Amino acid sequence: MNTIIYCAFTFNFTFVLFLLAHLGESADIKVAAKAGVDISPELLKAWTEACAATTPSTIVIPKGTFEMKQALLKGPCKAPVELQIQATLKAPPNPNDMDGKREWLTVEYVDHFTLSGGGTLDGQGNVQVYAAKDKGFKSDKLPNNLSFNFMKNSVIRDITTLNSKLFHVNVFGGNNLTFEKFTVKAPADSPNTDGIHIAKIKDVTVKDSVIGTGDDCISIGDGLENLHITGVTCGPGHGISVGSLGKTPGEEPVKGVFVKDSKFVGTDNGVRIKTWPNSHPGVVTDIHYENIDMKDVKNPIVIDQEYCPNNECSKQKPSLVKISKVSYRNIKGTSATEEAVILACSSGVPCEGVEIGEINLTFKGGAAKSLCSNVKPTLTGKQVPAVTCK
């Protein structure tokens, strides 16, 4: 295995960066720079060397706190590559100091990639962006902390993303991607900071992870097939959401989402499916929730086919996104709202194949209740609150 190691030291206000490359015969490449210098050029050099190697390589950024402006790590590579971030990397606080067309750290078109090391990617969104949400940083110009595009057979393990300016992680395209022992941290009021957004990819696993942020802990876009979420703690945040869907023409189906053995703490929603009214056609099918604990969660179970934030749409026509084969089993805990179960399906394409097993959701302010429309769920076991749909 080739090992490429960044060793960072501060000595007399000088930042010394060593690149140790073991390719055949050991070769030491020493790069010196002043304190506070952007490390991304040196990371790109290491990536170029590792990606060209014909045997597996490891790039290591050791413990310390370093600045990184932006980096694009692009494949394909000739052999597996692991990037170990042991350090805390800090993005520029002002997004205007970054290329608005790029994310902060992007990895794309790589097969058998691993990101690990126990380090932290600090987007520093809390320094200027969160406080200025009414002053005008446009969201389409803000960078995500991490973007993984068209990745295959890859693992993201033991990494923390902190205070992203926009999404913490955006996943687009590829197949067989795993997040394990992954941590997301941002304040509950941080805007549009989805934990992990996933779209147009097959076979994704998120397990044994803790996600707390200001938007959806995990959001699922179109074109996703076979997502397994296990052992995830969500909160604060807006829950785990399929959608929103139907706003854009030509969206691909969402097929196969399995959420189990997970916890929601103080979130604005629990397990949610959301589609726009007056929408384009779409498909959501084979969605299953099992063994879920809720603690003081607003709207623990939600299907919302009239999703219209800030009244930015027309509800005169129904959603045309067809929802089917959805199951809820062993969902228990406390609801922070009276409406513990909301199944608001489309009048244009009613929900089909909805199954509700054992649920026990209580409301501290009195009796919890359920609301439903345009759906006739199959009930098994006991439901608290009772689910009665005409």
Side-chain angles (χ1 to χ4, degrees), residues 24-40:
E25 296 183 1
S26 178
D28 296 350
I29 303 172
K30 181 178 179 180
V31 181
K34 294 181 180 180
V37 170
D38 171 25
I39 72 162
S40 54

Side-chain angles (χ1 to χ4, degrees), residues 297-346:
V297 172
K298 300 175 184 176
N299 311 316
I301 295 174
V302 183
I303 295 178
D304 181 6
Q305 294 210 257
E306 291 188 342
Y307 176 74
C308 187
N310 304 316
N311 294 314
E312 295 175 349
C313 58
S314 170
K315 295 185 180 181
Q316 294 181 355
K317 294 182 180 180
S319 175
L320 295 180
V321 178
K322 179 68 174 182
I323 296 175
S324 64
K325 299 180 182 178
V326 181
S327 69
Y328 305 89
R329 295 185 176 92
N330 193 27
I331 316 294
K332 63 182 185 296
T334 56
S335 175
T337 54
E338 186 178 15
E339 296 80 12
V341 179
I342 301 172
L343 306 177
C345 293
S346 170

Side-chain angles (χ1 to χ4, degrees), residues 119-168:
T120 297
L121 290 152
D122 183 357
Q124 299 207 89
N126 59 316
V127 178
Q128 293 190 24
V129 174
Y130 301 167
K133 59 185 177 182
D134 296 325
K135 298 180 182 178
F137 288 122
K138 293 183 179 180
S139 61
D140 61 350
K141 300 296 183 182
L142 294 174
N144 304 317
N145 263 11
L146 284 161
S147 285
F148 300 105
N149 304 323
F150 306 102
M151 304 294 289
K152 296 181 179 180
N153 307 308
S154 296
V155 177
I156 315 303
R157 178 191 300 118
D158 195 24
I159 286 290
T160 295
T161 167
L162 175 66
N163 292 332
S164 182
K165 295 179 178 68
L166 198 64
F167 293 180
H168 287 266

Side-chain angles (χ1 to χ4, degrees), residues 175-357:
N175 66 276
N176 193 21
L177 179 64
T178 296
F179 292 84
E180 181 179 7
K181 296 181 180 179
F182 187 72
T183 302
V184 174
K185 294 181 180 179
D189 61 352
S190 56
N192 301 314
T193 53
D194 290 36
I196 305 175
H197 180 72
I198 309 168
K200 298 187 186 301
I201 185 171
K202 183 176 181 180
D203 298 331
V204 179
T205 298
V206 183
K207 62 181 181 179
D208 304 329
S209 297
V210 178
I211 302 174
T213 190
D215 211 299
D216 292 327
C217 291
I218 300 174
S219 57
I220 299 158
D222 76 304
L224 179 136
E225 184 175 349
N226 197 28
L227 166 64
H228 289 262
I229 300 170
T230 306
V232 168
T233 298
C234 170
H238 295 180
I240 294 177
S241 297
V242 177
S244 58
L245 297 170
K247 192 174 184 179
T248 305
E251 290 180 348
E252 299 175 14
V254 174
K255 298 180 179 180
V257 176
F258 305 85
V259 183
K260 64 184 299 184
D261 302 330
S262 294
K263 297 179 181 180
F264 295 76
V265 180
T267 52
D268 285 356
N269 301 279
V271 291
R272 176 169 61 158
I273 302 172
K274 53 181 178 175
T275 74
W276 292 81
N278 193 25
S279 75
H280 298 279
V283 171
V284 175
T285 189
D286 200 18
I287 313 295
H288 305 283
Y289 307 100
E290 184 175 4
N291 299 335
I292 307 296
D293 289 336
M294 305 283 184
K295 182 178 180 181
D296 298 329
V297 172
K298 300 175 184 176
N299 311 316
I301 295 174
V302 183
I303 295 178
D304 181 6
Q305 294 210 257
E306 291 188 342
Y307 176 74
C308 187
N310 304 316
N311 294 314
E312 295 175 349
C313 58
S314 170
K315 295 185 180 181
Q316 294 181 355
K317 294 182 180 180
S319 175
L320 295 180
V321 178
K322 179 68 174 182
I323 296 175
S324 64
K325 299 180 182 178
V326 181
S327 69
Y328 305 89
R329 295 185 176 92
N330 193 27
I331 316 294
K332 63 182 185 296
T334 56
S335 175
T337 54
E338 186 178 15
E339 296 80 12
V341 179
I342 301 172
L343 306 177
C345 293
S346 170
S347 61
V349 282
C351 297
E352 294 183 348
V354 176
E355 300 178 5
I356 301 179

Side-chain angles (χ1 to χ4, degrees), residues 84-106:
Q84 290 187 6
I85 299 177
Q86 300 172 3
T88 294
L89 302 181
K90 288 184 173 290
N94 189 336
N96 293 330
D97 293 333
M98 306 172 74
D99 182 348
K101 297 180 181 179
R102 293 172 48 196
E103 314 305 347
W104 184 30
L105 175 59
T106 302

